[in-house]
Amino acid sequence: MALLTTLVDAAADAGQDARYDGPDRAVLHARPLALKRAFANLIDNAVAYGGSARVALRDGPAGVTVAIADDGPGIPEAELDRVLQPFQRIE
């Protein structure tokens, strides 16, 4: 949670439309630097290409779920398999 709110606050402080919705505390045993890079990239892309970033964290019995949504057009269904490959980009 602290990692996500720090990233969202940094984006908002830079004048971008970024919001966090979730609990005040959640614990996840993971590699924090790797998570920070991944979440920062997703939030940056949401703001840059979708106009906003809405970050939601849910902590449940099955684990922690993080969703990052934006208002962009999305990925065309025909491109979904390709964009999941390393170093792929679509317009």
Side-chain angles (χ1 to χ4, degrees):
M1 184 288 303
L3 173 74
L4 291 173
T5 57
T6 299
L7 293 170
V8 168
D9 288 346
D13 289 347
Q16 299 168 327
D17 183 9
R19 291 163 283 180
Y20 171 79
D21 175 40
D24 292 335
R25 180 166 165 72
V27 176
L28 176 65
H29 298 284
R31 295 175 43 200
L33 276 175
L35 282 179
K36 182 178 181 181
R37 277 193 301 257
F39 289 139
N41 186 35
L42 292 169
I43 291 168
D44 289 346
N45 285 346
V47 170
Y49 300 108
S52 67
R54 293 180 305 281
V55 180
L57 184 141
R58 300 294 177 252
D59 188 7
V64 174
T65 301
V66 175
I68 301 173
D70 60 44
D71 295 319
I75 299 171
E77 195 168 325
E79 299 283 346
L80 286 175
D81 288 335
R82 187 169 75 85
V83 298
L84 294 176
Q85 300 304 313
F87 310 107
Q88 296 296 315
R89 185 177 189 165
I90 62 172
E91 294 303 316

